[in-house]
Amino acid sequence: MSNQTVILVGETGSGMTMQIPQFVLEAVQEKNPSKWLVGCTQPRRVAAMSVASRVAEEMDVAIGEEVSYTVRFEDCSNSKTVLKYLTDGMLLREAMADPLLQRYKVTCVEYFSGAPLMKVLGRLHPVEILYTQEPERDYLEAAINTVVQIHMFEPPGDVLVFLTGEEEIEDACRRIVSKLGDQVNVVPLYSSLAPSMQQKIFDPPAMENRRKIVKRYNPKTRVESLLVSPISQASANQRAGRAGRTQPGNFFRLYTEKSFNHDLIEQTYPKILRSNLTNTVLTLNKLGVDNLVSFDFMDPPAPVTLARALNDLVDLGALDADEDKFSNLTMTGEMMSEFPLDPQMAKMLIVSPKFNCSNEILSISAMLSVPNCFIRPRGEAQRAAADEAKGRFGHIDGDHLTLLNVYHAYKQNNGDSNWCYQNFINHRAMKSADNVREQLVRIMSKFNLKICSSDFNSRDYYTNIRKALLAGYFMQVAHLDRNGHYLTAKDDQMVHLHPSCCLDHKPEWVVYNEYVLTNRNFIRTVTYIRGEWLLDVAPHYYHLSNFPNCEAKRVLQKLSKKRDRCGNPK
């Protein structure tokens, strides 16, 4: 082989994902049929799992044998595996243990620089692209009207609609059904939808119906900030390709051609430029990249983003600040890097034995690592019943303990699927949580971290759990100001409790798991904490000399003085 790396640019339908890895596998097996492994990365776990299943079917083998996939918390590969699909993150985790990836003869990744370029043509049918004459004031209304017009005037075929999120998708589904009734089969598709519901997109429609699929587009920024923003020209062209996979089709762009040419950026910004880099920085340090400032990134992240990630890891105790280089991975950092979790959750697990609640924190971490366990069906009556069922699991102190209640109830009912159905609980999510918990227990045991619980009847039972939550997520705290608004600690951003929050009151201090930006700034998965705990659990981060002037600082100053007078009570 004259080049160790070759770049293939493939059009939609060219077989880049499914066929090229099989061609490579054939070439590899000609030389040594059993020694080598071919790996192919995918950007998302759903893609890795579905593509692996389809390739296994093409090769007439069982998934999990010769063809397998590896995603976070799920590895179906075995000693027979010769072709493995995996997410980028899992390939990185394998590199932590085997930096040269010696098991792999070939790896197919999304992008690589400094290599010869080959272009693979696709097999697309003709696609006619249509633009609006004038800008649309309400793109959702325009999309619904376009669906109706397609149904009324276009030849038979399916319709795929790209929207921005769950709420918009469900709204569009209801409005399309109200206009067309049972003339069409309207199927929503978004990441938090129950897997059984997602599978409905593959069901064949009734002969008299045409299928309408409403699909989610999810632009992500830091943490879980879901901001509706224009797509790139490249994304628009890729979507257009979906209309020509099996037959000639039309693609309706609900904006003007001028807007496409002048307002949309040419390429989507790489994920490294729009993501929280804390986990990436931790992984790179584990791989031995200790000078990130001079590291040769293909797309260098903004210095402020990199600096924040480094500072966050220092605050979490994962890195030592050595002459401002942030280069030394601590023992805590070594352990954190072994958990396939975000660093804050990993830190929460590692310190949980100190609060005598590692059993409970394991369960909460597992629940946070799987899709939403609560099912909210379509239809007002069913939604009301689902909300009532959720309320039965609610805990007065917040969402994390509510998730713990759900997990305990699931185990007490022996994982019964009928119990899940009756209580509007996603059975598959609960099975996944059980599996994730078992894997996390193994990692805890590897580092001799104690698996323990407080006495359930102790008054400290829930207090210890809340303190352990705070020990990991102390950077994600909000304070209720005198005007009744929550402001994030230090950053001083106004936020609101997410509508899904189970708290029936507004505690003065809360710790949250997610910061969600939609039409408002929301904090989601929220639990009540006490302000004085901040001074005990994270004194370095909440040192008042480094705290910006705000109402939260004044409250903490009073709490600090009171604690000093009273001798640091619990």
Side-chain angles (χ1 to χ4, degrees):
M1 181 182 292
S2 56
N3 295 288
Q4 284 219 329
T5 305
V6 175
I7 297 176
L8 291 179
V9 177
E11 297 177 356
T12 300
S14 65
M16 285 283 293
T17 303
M18 296 179 59
Q19 304 305 320
I20 295 297
Q22 293 184 62
F23 297 158
V24 170
L25 178 63
E26 289 179 13
V28 168
Q29 288 187 320
E30 282 182 7
K31 294 185 177 180
N32 193 319
S34 60
K35 182 179 180 181
W36 302 111
L37 191 64
V38 173
C40 181
T41 65
Q42 294 293 298
R44 299 187 184 281
R45 61 181 290 133
V46 173
M49 295 165 69
S50 61
V51 171
S53 297
R54 290 167 60 191
V55 170
E57 186 177 347
E58 278 194 8
M59 294 177 60
D60 195 24
V61 297
I63 184 69
E65 297 291 326
E66 288 85 353
V67 180
S68 66
Y69 63 82
T70 299
V71 297
R72 193 173 73 133
F73 295 122
E74 190 169 352
D75 181 4
C76 76
S77 63
N78 61 24
S79 58
K80 294 182 181 179
T81 298
V82 290
L83 175 57
K84 181 159 73 170
Y85 286 85
L86 66 171
T87 56
D88 303 323
M90 293 311 299
L91 186 64
L92 266 178
R93 297 202 71 80
E94 290 194 20
M96 288 165 57
D98 177 17
L100 298 179
L101 297 174
Q102 294 179 342
R103 297 173 57 209
Y104 294 90
K105 181 67 173 179
V106 178
T107 53
C108 306
V109 296
E110 282 197 316
Y111 183 77
F112 208 99
S113 63
L117 179 68
M118 294 176 62
K119 186 169 184 178
V120 182
L121 297 178
R123 295 180 297 171
L124 283 179
H125 294 276
V127 176
E128 183 179 2
I129 297 178
L130 301 101
Y131 296 89
T132 59
Q133 295 298 312
E134 300 292 336
E136 294 288 350
R137 291 186 177 183
D138 185 338
Y139 65 84
L140 182 58
E141 180 68 25
I144 293 168
N145 290 337
T146 302
V147 168
V148 174
Q149 291 170 13
I150 291 170
H151 176 67
M152 299 300 293
F153 304 112
E154 294 290 333
D158 297 336
V159 179
L160 178 61
V161 184
F162 289 90
L163 296 172
T164 63
E166 176 181 345
E167 183 177 340
E168 208 168 74
I169 290 169
E170 291 290 358
D171 184 28
C173 287
R174 287 190 293 269
R175 290 163 67 179
I176 292 172
V177 169
S178 70
K179 288 176 179 286
L180 297 176
D182 59 4
Q183 299 178 51
V184 293
N185 180 20
V186 183
V187 186
L189 178 63
Y190 46 85
S191 61
S192 61
L193 196 67
S196 59
M197 295 293 291
Q198 293 186 27
Q199 288 298 313
K200 287 189 176 183
I201 66 170
F202 300 111
D203 294 342
M207 289 300 293
E208 69 274 13
N209 287 357
R210 276 186 279 179
R211 188 191 320 160
K212 306 288 180 274
I213 302 175
V214 183
K215 188 180 187 299
R216 178 186 184 187
Y217 171 59
N218 182 6
K220 279 198 173 183
T221 57
R222 189 179 180 273
V223 193
E224 282 292 322
S225 306
L226 304 183
L227 297 174
V228 178
S229 58
I231 61 173
S232 66
Q233 292 179 6
S235 292
N237 290 332
Q238 185 183 48
R239 293 179 181 187
R242 299 290 182 266
R245 293 295 293 270
T246 59
Q247 64 184 39
N250 295 330
F251 189 71
F252 297 83
R253 289 178 174 158
L254 301 181
Y255 43 84
T256 64
E257 188 171 8
K258 179 181 178 182
S259 179
F260 174 83
N261 291 324
H262 297 97
D263 296 339
L264 302 189
I265 59 174
E266 185 176 345
Q267 296 286 341
T268 304
Y269 291 121
K271 190 174 181 180
I272 196 170
L273 302 183
R274 48 191 169 90
S275 301
N276 185 338
L277 297 182
T278 311
N279 208 4
T280 302
V281 170
L282 181 63
T283 302
L284 287 172
N285 268 273
K286 175 66 175 178
L287 289 169
V289 181
D290 55 5
N291 191 347
L292 291 167
V293 176
S294 61
F295 183 71
D296 188 19
F297 290 100
M298 285 188 287
D299 296 288
V304 65
T305 308
L306 189 58
R308 178 157 193 166
L310 289 164
N311 283 319
D312 285 354
L313 288 170
V314 170
D315 289 331
L316 287 167
L319 294 180
D320 274 336
D322 181 16
E323 297 179 359
D324 296 326
K325 291 182 181 178
F326 306 107
S327 58
N328 297 326
L329 201 62
T330 65
M331 180 58 69
T332 298
E334 289 277 357
M335 288 190 286
M336 287 167 62
S337 69
E338 292 292 326
F339 286 90
L341 305 168
D342 71 74
Q344 289 168 283
M345 191 179 293
K347 174 65 179 290
M348 176 177 72
L349 274 168
I350 291 167
V351 302
S352 60
K354 298 178 182 177
F355 297 93
N356 205 30
C357 61
S358 54
N359 259 317
E360 289 74 15
I361 293 298
L362 277 164
S363 301
I364 292 171
S365 298
M367 292 293 287
L368 291 172
S369 300
V370 301
N372 183 13
C373 68
F374 297 110
I375 296 173
R376 292 197 79 214
R378 295 162 65 186
E380 291 186 14
Q382 281 195 304
R383 285 202 167 196
D387 291 341
E388 182 183 349
K390 180 180 177 180
R392 292 195 290 269
F393 298 106
H395 192 283
I396 190 173
D397 288 334
D399 298 315
H400 294 88
L401 300 180
T402 297
L403 292 175
L404 181 62
N405 285 346
V406 173
Y407 185 79
H408 283 167
Y410 171 76
K411 297 300 287 183
Q412 287 165 6
N413 286 276
N414 300 313
D416 183 25
S417 59
N418 288 328
W419 175 87
C420 289
Y421 178 79
Q422 292 164 5
N423 288 277
F424 295 90
I425 298 297
N426 185 335
H427 182 241
R428 185 165 175 176
M430 297 307 300
K431 286 181 65 178
S432 295
D434 223 12
N435 177 265
V436 167
R437 192 183 189 281
E438 290 176 6
Q439 294 183 53
L440 294 178
V441 167
R442 289 197 290 270
I443 299 173
M444 295 274 282
S445 300
K446 175 181 176 181
F447 293 108
N448 296 316
L449 295 170
K450 187 179 179 184
I451 310 297
C452 54
S453 293
S454 302
D455 182 352
F456 182 74
N457 296 314
S458 167
R459 66 174 187 174
D460 293 329
Y461 178 78
Y462 287 113
T463 298
N464 289 344
I465 297 170
R466 288 151 62 203
K467 285 184 176 180
L469 288 170
L470 183 61
Y473 288 92
F474 55 84
M475 290 182 282
Q476 294 179 197
V477 167
H479 175 253
L480 187 67
D481 70 10
R482 65 187 69 183
N483 296 318
H485 298 126
Y486 278 107
L487 297 174
T488 58
K490 286 198 171 183
D491 294 332
D492 220 26
Q493 296 291 310
M494 184 184 294
V495 292
H496 306 271
L497 298 181
H498 194 271
S500 64
C501 178
C502 72
L503 285 170
D504 59 3
H505 64 295
K506 282 188 168 184
E508 183 180 7
W509 295 91
V510 293
V511 61
Y512 59 89
N513 195 64
E514 298 170 292
Y515 188 159
V516 182
L517 276 153
T518 53
N519 57 329
R520 303 172 78 187
N521 296 358
F522 288 111
I523 49 176
R524 185 164 61 190
T525 315
V526 177
T527 290
Y528 158 56
I529 59 166
R530 296 174 65 92
E532 55 266 32
W533 296 351
L534 299 170
L535 304 175
D536 298 329
V537 172
H540 56 292
Y541 190 77
Y542 287 94
H543 197 285
L544 295 175
S545 63
N546 299 322
F547 210 89
N549 285 323
C550 59
E551 188 173 334
K553 179 177 182 176
R554 290 187 286 274
V555 172
L556 288 174
Q557 286 174 329
K558 291 179 181 178
L559 290 172
S560 179
K561 291 177 181 177
K562 180 180 178 181
R563 185 183 64 164
D564 292 342
R565 288 197 305 269
C566 299
N568 193 17
K570 283 188 178 180

